[in-house]
Amino acid sequence: MKPGDLAGFCVRSLAGYPLRTGLMLLAMAIGVASVVVLTSLGEGARRYVAREFTSLGTHLLIVLPGRSETTGGPPPLLGETPRDLTVEDAEALRRGSAVRRVAPIMVGSAPVAWGGLEREVTILGSNAELYEIRDLAMAQGRFLPPGDITRGEAVCVLGHKIRRELFGNASPLGAWVRVGQRRFRVIGVLAPKGQALGLDMSDVAVIPVAAAQALFNSASLFRVLVQARHRDAVARAKSAVLDILRTRHDGEDDVTVITQDALLATFDRILTALTLAVGGIAAISLAVAGILIMNVMLIAVSQRTAEIGLLKALGAPPNQIQRLFLGEATLLSLAGAAVGLVLAAGGVIGVVKAFPVFPMAVPAWSPLAAVGVSLATGLVFGVLPARRAAHLDPVTALSRR
Amino acid sequence: MIRLEGIQRVFQVGDETVYALRDVNLEIGPGEYVSVMGPSGSGKSTLLNILGLLDRPDEGVYRLETVDTTELGDARQAEVRRHKIGFIFQFFHLIPRLTAAENVELPMILAGVAPSERRGRVETALAALGLADRARHRPDQLSGGQRQRVAIARATIMRPRIILADEPTGNLDRTSGKDVVDTIEALNREGLTVVMVTHDPELGARTRRQVQIVDGRIRGDRREAP
């Protein structure tokens, strides 16, 4: 039997039972479509997170005071003395050759008042370089001026939400606002940038770090943001930061440095695992479709007993009959997968249209895997019915009408 | 041409052992026109199935054109069926979703005959049986006699040497039954060996040789003088 004739015969017999064939196609199509759409959602989530991280700024290292380690042990007990991270520490980091910019960060909360209005907001104490490191943009005015970091000028930059709340439509530039017990002159307003890692930059007031130290009466920094010279220098910058701080802190490693890449890689792993898991769950529906195919093919074999008997009488050897039924299962899987891919394309386009912000993307492997799995299930679950057909006794098969 | 020696076929029905055929010896020469007659359950259909290689005897040797078919595997037996034997059934066994022409074409598809050659042969076969205008009809659009003639066209399309017919007129009215018998006899006149199972004495009387089977044994073997 020629391959073309085999395919033709299979198509004819599938077309002979349109309802049954249609239902099986539907089951297979839903399986394939759900695999592709769900993995695309997972991939979209991964890209979304990656994009958010990039918006933090590039080649970023975050230096945190303190370090998680086990202390104690045999006497004499030496208690850990966590050293604060200070502005001087931050300034010292500039000596690293791989370090391009350094921004100390001090965080606190204080009421900001103007006119009769007052609002409790997050106060960021930092320097001029925060602007480049966090990739900020100005809506009005300018950012903190560069200059001596130990001098706390009484100037501040407002997030756009505070500006709207306190000033309404009036221009805040040049106005004096009260922050805690001190007065600051507004020199700029940040452009809306959205959230990054939980900190809403629209609801902060940025003041020079020295002013923040005076305001909160504290010398310790919340963290230090360090920008490496380029991507490849991140590792060097990290070891430089650790070396410098160890020297300054009497040989103790009491800071933690997180690189953006490491954070990103972690999230990337988590989300890739999530995508695979979701894809796996969707693949269960493919297996269900496979079992459905087996079920329906078994019914087909018993429905078409007489036909199988006839084919045997006409001289079809057992393996040829097996090929005919396997061919039908294969065709069903392939056609179902094709319909499923069309459905998936529709679903993906629909999501992209509905949520343009969400960077939904079909991972290249997902349609291939879906079609592969559907074909494999079709074949695996087609074998049993096909074998049953092939080993049917022609005499009993033909004796039935 | 056909030579059965000591053929035995036993079925197990529950606890009982049923001898469908016992010690059957039969020789059929080329071009013979044989009817196998007997009451129902006498084993005549089993005999036909064994002749058609659809069933294997439990004992004995079946030689078809000197080949011992009992020693052949399933695939080889299928090949013999494909090229040497044509079946005609009481219930026609046409595939309902295929047209008359496609039903006739089926054995050639299974045998892997080239499509260009198939078309011509189907046309010739259908025309020879007066079915040229019914080629595009499906079985449910044909009368019983037409269906059986389509089945005959299918049985002969591979130019077999032997035609095995199981009650070919059993499901037909008199007129179309006669048409079908005429068709089969015409094939016999062209030199095909025809073995026909029937319990219609009138039909049996038309054949030149009548084999009687009772309880799995050959009870009579009457030949007409040529």
Side-chain angles (χ1 to χ4, degrees), chain A residues 242-331:
Chain A
L242 287 173
D243 282 345
I244 292 168
L245 291 180
R246 191 185 304 119
T247 322
R248 288 182 58 85
H249 290 185
D250 304 331
E252 271 192 71
D253 277 320
D254 57 1
V255 296
T256 303
V257 177
I258 303 170
T259 61
Q260 193 187 8
D261 277 2
L263 268 176
L264 190 56
T266 308
F267 271 92
D268 206 53
R269 273 201 301 280
I270 293 170
L271 287 165
T272 305
L274 197 74
T275 303
L276 286 175
V278 169
I281 292 168
I284 293 173
S285 63
L286 272 181
V288 172
I291 292 171
L292 193 74
I293 285 193
M294 172 159 75
N295 202 346
V296 174
M297 291 304 289
L298 282 174
I299 297 172
V301 169
S302 54
Q303 264 181 351
R304 281 153 64 187
T305 308
E307 178 185 329
I308 295 162
L310 172 80
L311 290 175
K312 290 200 161 185
L314 294 181
N319 59 20
Q320 192 168 43
I321 287 166
Q322 194 165 332
R323 273 206 299 277
L324 283 175
F325 278 82
L326 268 184
E328 279 188 33
T330 309
L331 271 179

Side-chain angles (χ1 to χ4, degrees), chain B:
Chain B
M1 170 130 210
I2 292 173
R3 190 192 181 102
L4 298 178
E5 290 166 14
I7 294 291
Q8 189 133 301
R9 182 74 177 100
V10 186
F11 293 107
Q12 202 74 34
V13 183
D15 294 338
E16 253 178 291
T17 309
V18 178
Y19 285 84
L21 292 175
R22 325 180 190 218
D23 195 27
V24 169
N25 296 292
L26 186 65
E27 203 164 326
I28 298 171
E32 274 200 87
Y33 182 25
V34 185
S35 62
V36 179
M37 314 229 304
S40 52
S42 57
K44 53 190 192 305
S45 287
T46 307
L47 178 65
L48 200 72
N49 288 334
I50 285 178
L51 287 177
L53 296 173
L54 293 175
D55 201 357
R56 285 171 183 270
D58 295 307
E59 265 177 56
V61 176
Y62 167 22
R63 287 180 205 282
L64 182 66
E65 291 180 326
T66 72
V67 179
D68 181 358
T69 60
T70 39
E71 282 182 356
L72 299 178
D74 280 351
R76 292 273 300 136
Q77 285 203 341
E79 196 185 324
V80 172
R81 276 203 296 278
R82 196 155 65 221
H83 294 286
K84 295 192 172 157
I85 301 169
F87 288 92
I88 302 170
F89 306 96
Q90 181 179 359
F91 299 112
F92 324 131
H93 284 306
L94 299 176
I95 295 182
R97 60 173 186 274
L98 301 181
T99 65
E102 287 165 336
N103 266 292
V104 174
E105 194 183 8
L106 195 53
M108 291 192 289
I109 292 178
L110 293 176
V113 176
S116 50
E117 189 188 340
R118 296 203 299 250
R119 190 183 308 244
R121 274 165 74 172
V122 168
E123 266 173 34
T124 319
L126 285 175
L129 293 174
L131 291 165
D133 55 338
R134 293 282 180 272
R136 299 270 154 254
H137 290 55
R138 279 203 305 274
D140 55 5
Q141 298 163 318
L142 298 172
S143 73
Q146 286 168 336
R147 288 185 212 183
Q148 193 60 301
R149 277 183 288 156
V150 171
I152 292 173
R154 181 181 64 191
T156 53
I157 196 76
M158 290 300 292
R159 300 175 187 129
R161 305 288 307 127
I162 302 163
I163 293 288
L164 300 175
D166 191 354
E167 304 275 13
T169 61
N171 223 21
L172 298 176
D173 61 48
R174 279 191 76 80
T175 332
S176 39
K178 178 151 187 333
D179 270 0
V180 165
V181 172
D182 286 345
T183 310
I184 293 174
E185 285 176 358
L187 292 174
N188 178 244
R189 277 195 296 278
E190 287 166 23
L192 267 77
T193 310
V194 175
V195 180
M196 182 160 66
V197 163
T198 180
H199 54 232
D200 177 4
E202 202 178 318
L203 183 55
R206 295 175 65 100
T207 60
R208 286 192 297 279
R209 179 179 175 190
Q210 291 130 28
V211 176
Q212 281 281 339
I213 293 197
V214 178
D215 283 343
R217 290 176 201 276
I218 294 181
R219 277 292 164 79
D221 190 350
R222 206 162 54 80
R223 282 169 209 253
E224 258 173 37

Side-chain angles (χ1 to χ4, degrees), chain A residues 167-184:
Chain A
F167 292 90
N169 289 324
S171 171
L173 292 183
W176 287 85
V177 293
R178 191 163 51 79
V179 180
Q181 306 301 322
R182 291 159 178 269
R183 278 158 56 77
F184 290 84

Side-chain angles (χ1 to χ4, degrees), chain A residues 228-239:
Chain A
R229 290 208 174 276
H230 43 85
R231 198 181 178 84
D232 300 332
V234 169
R236 269 200 298 133
K238 182 177 175 177
S239 59

Side-chain angles (χ1 to χ4, degrees), chain A residues 75-287:
Chain A
L77 282 169
L78 289 171
E80 193 192 10
T81 48
R83 235 171 288 262
D84 287 338
L85 212 49
T86 61
V87 173
E88 290 71 35
D89 287 335
E91 284 305 299
L93 294 180
R94 291 184 194 282
R95 296 206 307 267
S97 63
V99 174
R100 186 170 176 198
R101 294 191 177 98
V102 176
I105 304 266
M106 188 158 184
V107 177
S109 185
V112 175
W114 185 76
L117 298 170
E118 188 178 88
R119 186 177 170 81
E120 187 84 14
V121 296
T122 307
I123 308 294
L124 276 186
S126 192
N127 65 1
E129 287 176 47
L130 181 70
Y131 186 76
E132 276 84 22
I133 292 179
R134 283 297 298 264
D135 202 15
L136 299 172
M138 300 307 292
Q140 279 174 288
R142 57 196 175 83
F143 199 69
L144 298 179
D148 187 357
I149 195 157
T150 55
R151 264 190 58 220
E153 266 186 281
V155 293
C156 74
V157 174
L158 301 181
H160 75 105
K161 189 169 172 188
I162 306 178
R163 188 202 74 86
R164 201 179 60 225
E165 292 291 329
L166 293 185
F167 292 90
N169 289 324
S171 171
L173 292 183
W176 287 85
V177 293
R178 191 163 51 79
V179 180
Q181 306 301 322
R182 291 159 178 269
R183 278 158 56 77
F184 290 84
R185 192 166 51 88
V186 178
I187 55 168
V189 176
L190 293 172
K193 191 170 182 242
Q195 227 165 354
L197 269 199
L199 187 59
D200 187 355
M201 288 299 281
S202 68
D203 209 7
V204 296
V206 187
I207 58 177
V209 66
Q213 282 177 319
L215 182 66
F216 297 117
N217 191 24
S218 160
S220 73
L221 295 177
F222 175 62
R223 59 187 57 175
V224 179
L225 298 184
V226 176
Q227 190 180 39
R229 290 208 174 276
H230 43 85
R231 198 181 178 84
D232 300 332
V234 169
R236 269 200 298 133
K238 182 177 175 177
S239 59
V241 165
L242 287 173
D243 282 345
I244 292 168
L245 291 180
R246 191 185 304 119
T247 322
R248 288 182 58 85
H249 290 185
D250 304 331
E252 271 192 71
D253 277 320
D254 57 1
V255 296
T256 303
V257 177
I258 303 170
T259 61
Q260 193 187 8
D261 277 2
L263 268 176
L264 190 56
T266 308
F267 271 92
D268 206 53
R269 273 201 301 280
I270 293 170
L271 287 165
T272 305
L274 197 74
T275 303
L276 286 175
V278 169
I281 292 168
I284 293 173
S285 63
L286 272 181

